Amino acid sequence: MRSKKAIFNIFTSLILQLIMVVYGFVVPHIIIKQFGSDVNGLISSITQFLAYISLLESGFGPVVRSVLYKPIAEKDNKEIAGILKSSESFFRKIAMAFIGYIFILIFIYPMIINSKFDKLFTISLLVIISISTFAEYYFGMTYRLFLQADQKTYIISIIQIFIYVINILIVLILARLKASIQMIKIVTGFVFVLRPILQNQYVKNHYKINLKQVSYKVSIKQKWDGLAQHIAAVIHGNTDITVLSIFSTMQEVSVYSVYLLVVNGVKNIVTSFSNGIDASWGDMLAKGEMENLNKKFNMYEVLYHTMTTIIFTCTIVLIIPFMEVYTKKFVDANYIRPLFGFLIVVSEYLWAIRLPYSSITIAAGHFKETRIGAWVECGLNIVLSVILVRKYGLIGVTIGTIVAMGIRTIEFIYHTNRYILYRSVLESFKKVSLLIIETALIMLLTSFIPLTVNNSYLYWVLKAVLVFILTSLIVLVINFLTYKKEFLLFFRTSLKAIRRK
């Protein structure tokens, strides 16, 4: 049952990420084409500044998930309801604080950014974009965490697929009608409000949980232990655009955000292969199944690195040829930045490499044990980005992210092997070393393939297929020969699941 849920979570999450990639490319393309790079940069900047409200979460969400694993495994409904009641109370306080944060931004934000827009235009977009974030905190976070902990991430994914498809259609229609950017954002914002409402309705219909009737609250002991991890995640996701908003121009923010669309799309597809898997690790840890955990994690580690190597290596090779096609009609900013394109993919590649280790660390509830590394990552990212942005611009902020990300990735790999799986750290470092060698080899081989002859989507797709086939063959052959036992275990496990089905 656990394996079946994990497979379904991964499958629906993958579909969701593909839909989000389409949404991510369609909407900014329309905005840049219809309103210009400055408007797109402003929207990206506002989104990042609003994201800082999540600092108030203090890492509470992952902690809630980790403490839910045991009562869910034991079917202790009273404990579950108490945890969810505490969670709801916490997130609704954040929603109220978010309103205050919006008022602060209304006065401060237009003064600190480097923008040509008047205050009224900027403030109107800020308020409109904040609607869906408020709804998520007030209505959606608690039941979302519960579904994730109960290995039902697929429910969240199905709802989000529906919402994103509707929003893509709305944006296309409104753009055709020449609607203002405020109109487009306010309509799509209210559609996103449906997400937490539908999610909550599912929980109320399928579980005997009604938090309005629950007075019992559970004191969550690790409440603040996830603070450092959470701040590190927020800093990673938002520092670069924030620094560029203050020290550079909205056009540079737009360039960064367009490249970020590509790497985030790729990262989200990779993440879909791990969505819900932390709940499986948490279930095994709660039941003390250490031998099974080690065996399954080792298999997952090999398969995940194989898939990650293929996807991110292809992205490194293909990102600039794609940008030449995607941005060829954008004339108000230079979007072709080869070195920046390489560096931003590398930064997210490092994030993807550490994902299996960070997932199991969170599932084990090891927030306090890894907080020093999180603070180091935060400090390095901010300090290096601010220092380097003045001289090197986009490249400077990306170097800051790479250095911080690399150090934290090493820490996660070490901690997972040493204190959770109780095995040699060399096992994982060997896998990562092979991944780096494969990436370098493929980059060398594909350098002989002409990738910039014709700027059309069809030609780019043909090149992408060629690069993908070459990359997949090299990585799969090398990894299968190196990790034959893990691949055979995966095939046997998959066949068993199909037969049981």
Side-chain angles (χ1 to χ4, degrees):
M1 184 65 178
R2 187 163 55 203
S3 297
K4 194 182 293 184
K5 281 184 177 180
I7 291 168
F8 201 28
N9 284 336
I10 290 170
F11 176 71
T12 53
S13 182
L14 179 59
I15 295 174
L16 169 62
Q17 301 310 331
L18 292 172
I19 295 294
M20 287 175 67
V21 167
V22 174
Y23 179 86
F25 284 118
V26 168
V27 175
H29 192 276
I30 289 172
I31 290 171
I32 295 171
K33 193 175 177 182
Q34 197 155 317
F35 304 103
S37 293
D38 285 302
V39 171
N40 185 58
L42 180 63
I43 290 169
S44 299
S45 176
I46 289 171
T47 303
Q48 300 305 317
F49 270 85
L50 291 176
Y52 283 114
I53 190 63
S54 65
L55 287 171
L56 292 180
E57 287 183 40
S58 309
F60 188 66
V63 173
V64 169
R65 272 207 318 270
S66 69
V67 298
L68 277 170
Y69 293 137
K70 187 175 181 181
I72 287 174
E74 295 174 350
K75 302 187 187 304
D76 186 345
N77 290 330
K78 183 180 179 182
E79 185 76 1
I80 292 169
I83 293 169
L84 295 182
K85 188 68 176 180
S86 297
S87 174
E88 182 185 67
S89 175
F90 183 83
F91 284 116
R92 288 196 169 176
K93 288 175 184 175
I94 292 180
M96 294 297 104
F98 183 62
I99 294 175
Y101 179 57
I102 295 301
F103 278 107
I104 292 171
L105 283 182
I106 285 172
F107 291 102
I108 294 176
Y109 180 76
M111 293 189 293
I112 63 173
I113 62 164
N114 189 358
S115 171
K116 69 179 184 181
F117 299 106
D118 62 61
K119 286 186 179 181
L120 184 61
F121 182 87
T122 302
I123 290 169
S124 65
L125 275 177
L126 194 156
V127 173
I128 290 167
I129 294 171
S130 68
I131 293 170
S132 59
T133 303
F134 172 81
E136 188 67 27
Y137 278 112
Y138 196 84
F139 298 111
M141 290 297 289
T142 295
Y143 287 136
R144 180 187 182 90
L145 293 169
F146 172 67
L147 289 170
Q148 288 171 341
D150 197 29
Q151 303 176 62
K152 288 191 175 181
T153 306
Y154 62 87
I155 298 299
I156 301 167
S157 296
I158 290 169
I159 292 170
Q160 286 183 304
I161 288 167
F162 169 73
I163 295 299
Y164 274 103
V165 169
I166 294 297
N167 259 335
I168 289 170
L169 295 174
I170 287 171
V171 171
L172 289 171
I173 292 168
L174 290 177
R176 183 64 63 88
L177 295 173
K178 303 294 183 184
S180 69
I181 186 63
Q182 284 89 346
M183 178 60 70
I184 291 173
K185 282 296 176 182
I186 198 167
V187 174
T188 55
F190 277 113
V191 173
F192 276 121
V193 171
L194 290 174
R195 182 171 59 188
I197 294 172
L198 293 174
Q199 182 181 279
N200 292 7
Q201 197 58 47
Y202 174 86
V203 173
K204 289 173 182 176
N205 290 343
H206 292 81
Y207 296 88
K208 294 179 181 179
I209 297 174
N210 187 346
L211 297 185
K212 291 181 180 178
Q213 299 174 359
V214 176
S215 57
Y216 169 72
K217 289 184 181 181
V218 172
S219 177
I220 300 173
K221 296 177 182 178
Q222 300 183 77
K223 186 173 182 177
W224 301 108
D225 289 343
L227 176 63
Q229 328 290 337
H230 181 69
I231 290 177
V234 174
I235 294 298
H236 167 67
N238 302 284
T239 293
D240 292 356
I241 285 183
T242 302
V243 171
L244 288 169
S245 296
I246 297 170
F247 296 105
S248 190
T249 66
M250 285 299 123
Q251 287 186 348
E252 290 294 278
V253 172
S254 182
V255 172
Y256 187 97
S257 68
V258 170
Y259 276 84
L260 198 62
L261 283 176
V262 178
V263 292
N264 274 346
V266 171
K267 185 172 77 172
N268 289 338
I269 290 171
V270 169
T271 305
S272 68
F273 289 93
S274 66
N275 276 348
I277 202 74
D278 56 340
S280 298
W281 306 143
D283 190 53
M284 291 180 202
L285 286 163
K287 294 176 180 177
E289 301 174 7
M290 293 308 298
E291 185 180 345
N292 187 32
L293 175 64
N294 263 280
K295 185 173 70 172
K296 291 291 175 62
F297 184 84
N298 192 47
M299 178 189 73
Y300 173 75
E301 189 181 21
V302 169
L303 294 169
Y304 176 84
H305 281 320
T306 300
M307 177 268 303
T308 302
T309 306
I310 293 170
I311 293 176
F312 271 95
T313 303
C314 287
T315 306
I316 289 172
V317 174
L318 293 165
I319 188 167
I320 295 302
F322 176 78
M323 283 297 164
E324 289 173 342
V325 180
Y326 183 74
T327 66
K328 64 182 178 181
K329 293 183 179 179
F330 303 163
V331 296
D332 57 348
N334 175 23
Y335 284 87
I336 309 305
R337 315 279 185 95
L339 179 56
F340 169 64
F342 170 76
L343 291 174
I344 195 171
V345 177
V346 168
S347 71
E348 296 308 318
Y349 198 175
L350 284 169
W351 182 91
I353 288 170
R354 85 185 195 187
L355 190 58
Y357 313 104
S358 61
S359 294
I360 198 169
T361 299
I362 291 170
H366 285 204
F367 301 100
K368 190 174 182 179
E369 295 86 342
T370 55
R371 63 185 175 184
I372 293 176
W375 291 123
V376 170
E377 181 184 12
C378 291
L380 275 175
N381 202 339
I382 294 171
V383 172
L384 289 176
S385 295
V386 171
I387 291 172
L388 296 173
V389 68
R390 294 179 183 275
K391 187 172 182 180
Y392 301 106
L394 296 173
I395 292 171
V397 294
T398 312
I399 289 172
T401 302
I402 289 173
V403 173
M405 190 65 57
I407 292 172
R408 191 75 197 290
T409 298
I410 292 170
E411 189 226 1
F412 268 124
I413 293 172
Y414 176 81
H415 184 86
T416 296
N417 286 279
R418 182 74 176 81
Y419 298 107
I420 299 175
L421 300 175
Y422 304 105
R423 67 181 193 182
S424 172
V425 179
L426 291 175
E427 286 206 35
S428 292
F429 280 123
K430 285 177 182 176
K431 294 182 178 75
V432 174
S433 298
L434 181 62
L435 176 155
I436 294 169
I437 292 168
E438 288 170 342
T439 299
L441 174 63
I442 293 161
M443 286 178 65
L444 177 63
L445 292 175
T446 54
S447 66
F448 297 103
I449 301 174
L451 295 172
T452 56
V453 178
N454 187 324
N455 287 346
S456 71
Y457 282 109
L458 177 60
Y459 194 79
W460 182 86
V461 169
L462 293 174
K463 291 183 289 190
V465 170
L466 178 60
V467 171
F468 178 76
I469 291 171
L470 176 64
T471 303
S472 299
L473 284 173
I474 292 170
V475 174
L476 287 171
V477 169
I478 293 175
N479 285 14
F480 182 77
L481 293 175
T482 309
Y483 306 112
K484 190 174 180 180
K485 184 175 73 173
E486 286 77 10
F487 273 91
L488 291 176
L489 175 61
F490 170 71
F491 293 140
R492 285 197 299 270
T493 305
S494 300
L495 284 172
K496 281 182 182 178
I498 291 168
R499 284 169 184 162
R500 280 200 299 268
K501 183 74 175 176

